[in-house]
Amino acid sequence: SAPAAAAGSAAAVKTLDAEKSKRAIKSMLNKLSRGTFDKLVEQLMAECALTDVSVIEALVSMVFDKVAYEAQYVGVYADLCAKLHEALGSGFKKTLISAAQDEFENSTLARETLGAVADRGDRDAQAKRARSKIVGVMRLVGELFKRSVVGASLVHAISSELLGEPRSVPCDDYIEALCALMTACGG
């Protein structure tokens, strides 16, 4: 009968539990491109437990990791975040902003602890990772501003943090991050 068939097809798209959702999200992000965007976003929204805060936090963390090393896809990840913001509302945006703040604080901490790393090669590698991450996240924030996911007040607050105290000289990482943010906002 038609109702039984409809019930069977609805059961075919079952929401995954939190851990399986996180693995599925990682797999989908690895495949995400302009060409696969619509299909993968639809799949992500249908199958993953996006009502679970830990899943949303993991998704945001994975996106931040991706933008650090895949600058060519920052726009695609920003589109994903805009779709998720549209579908999930202010809770997603709060998680995104909180994660960006955490990333900034982690970057500051990572820079402060670099002096304790004895091996120059390790120190340089850690410095490069920290720089890539903060620059990537700032590019993403700029792209999110262009998509009206975040507002000018957040961009201004981040810019002020990156510039530091008046009459002080910000570190090179923060100057590069600020340039990436401004370029993404204006481009």
Side-chain angles (χ1 to χ4, degrees):
S1 74
S9 66
V13 178
K14 185 177 180 191
T15 303
L16 301 171
D17 68 29
E19 288 309 311
K20 287 182 181 174
S21 290
K22 291 173 189 176
R23 287 194 301 274
I25 289 167
K26 184 173 186 169
S27 174
M28 288 177 210
L29 290 178
N30 285 336
K31 299 172 191 169
L32 192 63
S33 68
R34 285 276 171 228
T36 62
F37 183 83
D38 292 331
K39 176 184 158 211
L40 289 176
V41 170
E42 184 179 312
Q43 183 182 352
L44 182 137
M45 297 234 203
E47 295 177 13
C48 296
L50 297 178
T51 55
D52 186 317
V53 174
S54 72
V55 172
I56 298 296
E57 289 171 346
L59 185 151
V60 169
S61 176
M62 288 181 226
V63 167
F64 283 5
D65 288 342
K66 289 290 196 178
V67 298
Y69 301 103
E70 298 177 8
Q72 70 274 23
Y73 293 112
V74 171
V76 176
Y77 294 119
D79 288 341
L80 172 63
C81 290
K83 284 267 191 198
L84 291 169
H85 172 61
E86 186 180 299
L88 303 175
S90 63
F92 178 76
K93 181 178 176 177
K94 287 177 186 173
T95 301
L96 197 60
I97 292 169
S98 175
Q101 178 64 34
D102 290 348
E103 207 53 59
F104 179 78
E105 291 169 4
N106 290 342
S107 170
T108 302
L109 183 61
R111 281 186 41 257
E112 291 170 356
T113 59
L114 281 176
V117 178
D119 183 68
R120 182 184 170 105
D122 289 344
R123 186 172 51 248
D124 291 347
Q126 287 180 17
K128 185 176 180 180
R129 274 193 301 276
R131 174 179 272 185
S132 295
K133 192 87 177 259
I134 193 70
V135 169
V137 170
M138 291 304 108
R139 274 192 196 106
L140 179 64
V141 170
E143 292 291 333
L144 292 172
F145 172 75
K146 287 195 308 195
R147 288 158 178 79
S148 300
V149 175
V150 300
S153 60
L154 178 67
V155 172
H156 182 267
I158 290 171
S159 299
S160 296
E161 284 288 324
L162 290 170
L163 286 171
E165 296 296 319
R167 301 187 210 291
S168 67
V169 177
C171 71
D172 291 346
D173 292 3
Y174 289 175
I175 293 171
E176 185 177 346
L178 181 61
C179 290
L181 174 64
M182 294 294 108
T183 301
C185 285

